[in-house]
Amino acid sequence: MKETVDRLLLVGRIVGLHGVTGEVKLESFTEPRLQIFRYQPWLLKQGAVEREIRGGRGRAQGKGIVAKLPDVDDRDAAAGWVGAEVWISRSLLPKAKAGEYYWADLEGLEVVTTEGVSLGRISHLLATGANDVMVVRDAGRERLLPFVTGDCVKAVDLDSGRVTVDWDPEF
């Protein structure tokens, strides 16, 4: 299985300012979106600048999230963090339930057909209205495969780093 203890995962981004007391607008990539506050400490990265913070808190505000960062008490201090990415250690996430997978754990896995033909590796996944989609790339092409367990996805083996699919390699 891919090492998960020390891997960092991108879980959000500071996208703007809110008010004059140092609050920021936060885009969360977690589901549900406020779950981002349960995974701390955060590593804020902006260019070459990195800062670990603990105790960030926030609330839903309309369609977005407003966050208060520790030791950021005015608008000018908060402005310095606009554009920063929010990273966490993979080890902070709870264990996935049986048959469920974190996208971050699937990215990079080899995808092979039930006949053993390699289709490439999972570059990333996309959420669609119907189901999630794996973006599978090899040296020559990119394929979009539905992540539908049972129909397309026959097996996921995190230990061996492989996803087995029922898919025509010519498609």
Side-chain angles (χ1 to χ4, degrees):
M1 183 168 152
K2 293 194 295 185
E3 183 59 44
T4 60
V5 175
D6 294 323
R7 284 183 40 223
L8 292 177
L9 301 179
L10 178 64
V11 295
R13 181 174 289 114
I14 297 174
V15 295
L17 301 172
H18 181 81
V20 295
T21 61
E23 291 181 314
V24 295
K25 294 178 183 177
L26 181 65
E27 178 184 13
S28 172
F29 306 143
T30 64
E31 185 61 41
R33 63 187 175 160
L34 289 176
Q35 194 77 358
I36 193 170
F37 296 104
R38 295 193 61 189
Y39 309 130
Q40 293 194 38
W42 290 350
L43 182 63
L44 298 181
K45 291 184 176 186
Q46 187 171 32
V49 177
E50 293 184 1
R51 177 179 166 202
E52 183 176 290
I53 68 162
R54 295 174 187 272
R57 59 188 196 285
R59 66 187 185 282
Q61 179 78 29
K63 293 183 180 182
I65 297 175
V66 172
K68 181 71 170 114
L69 305 176
D71 302 322
V72 176
D73 297 320
D74 62 51
R75 188 174 180 86
D76 291 336
W81 289 109
V82 173
E85 297 174 330
V86 180
W87 293 79
I88 63 165
S89 171
R90 166 62 180 86
S91 63
L92 293 172
L93 299 178
K95 184 176 176 165
K97 296 176 185 170
E100 294 182 358
Y101 307 95
Y102 287 108
W103 284 10
D105 293 340
L106 297 173
E107 292 170 353
L109 297 186
E110 181 183 20
V111 177
V112 297
T113 67
T114 52
E115 292 79 32
V117 177
S118 178
L119 300 178
R121 296 198 172 273
I122 299 173
S123 165
H124 59 284
L125 290 99
L126 304 170
T128 68
N131 52 264
D132 294 338
V133 173
M134 299 178 287
V135 179
V136 179
R137 293 183 179 150
D138 64 12
R141 75 189 279 197
E142 178 178 276
R143 293 178 176 90
L144 303 178
L145 282 72
F147 192 87
V148 178
T149 305
D151 291 334
C152 178
V153 176
K154 297 301 182 183
V156 175
D157 188 341
L158 296 175
D159 291 330
S160 69
R162 180 175 285 190
V163 176
T164 302
V165 296
D166 184 4
W167 196 260
D168 181 352
E170 299 303 316
F171 186 69

